[in-house]
Amino acid sequence: VGRSSKDWQRELGLNYYSSKTMDTAIRKFSKKNCVNIIKALRDFDAASKGVGAVNADSGELTKELVSTILYYN
C-alpha cells in the first residue's frame, strides 16, 4: 500500500517497462478478481488433466477459461 513504482521495480527485480505494466495491472485488477482468476486457472489445469471433468474437450475448457477471465476483468 502506497508503494512507488521504484519500490516494486527494486523488490521484484523488474526493469522500467515491466514495472509500468505492473502498475497498470495493480490499478486494473482487485485482489478479489486476481484470486478468482487464479482459481479459474487452477480449475482449468485440473480439468485439463481429467480431474472432475467427464470427456472435457480442450477447446471447450479453453473457451470457459477465457470467458471466466474476461468476466473478472
Side-chain angles (χ1 to χ4, degrees):
V1 176
R3 293 183 179 202
S4 70
S5 295
K6 289 187 186 264
D7 291 337
W8 285 112
Q9 183 179 358
R10 185 174 36 257
E11 286 183 34
L12 299 175
L14 302 173
N15 64 33
Y16 172 79
Y17 298 103
S18 295
S19 68
K20 289 296 181 187
T21 302
M22 180 71 77
D23 285 341
T24 302
I26 288 169
R27 283 191 301 276
K28 186 171 185 171
F29 294 100
S30 69
K31 182 178 177 181
K32 182 179 177 182
N33 287 355
C34 289
V35 168
N36 287 329
I37 290 170
I38 292 168
K39 181 183 180 313
L41 289 167
R42 292 181 69 187
D43 292 345
F44 171 81
D45 182 52
S48 71
K49 294 174 181 173
V51 177
V54 179
N55 296 328
D57 179 302
S58 64
E60 290 299 317
L61 289 173
T62 303
K63 286 179 189 177
E64 183 178 339
L65 175 64
V66 170
S67 66
T68 301
I69 290 171
L70 291 174
Y71 174 77
Y72 289 114
N73 188 358

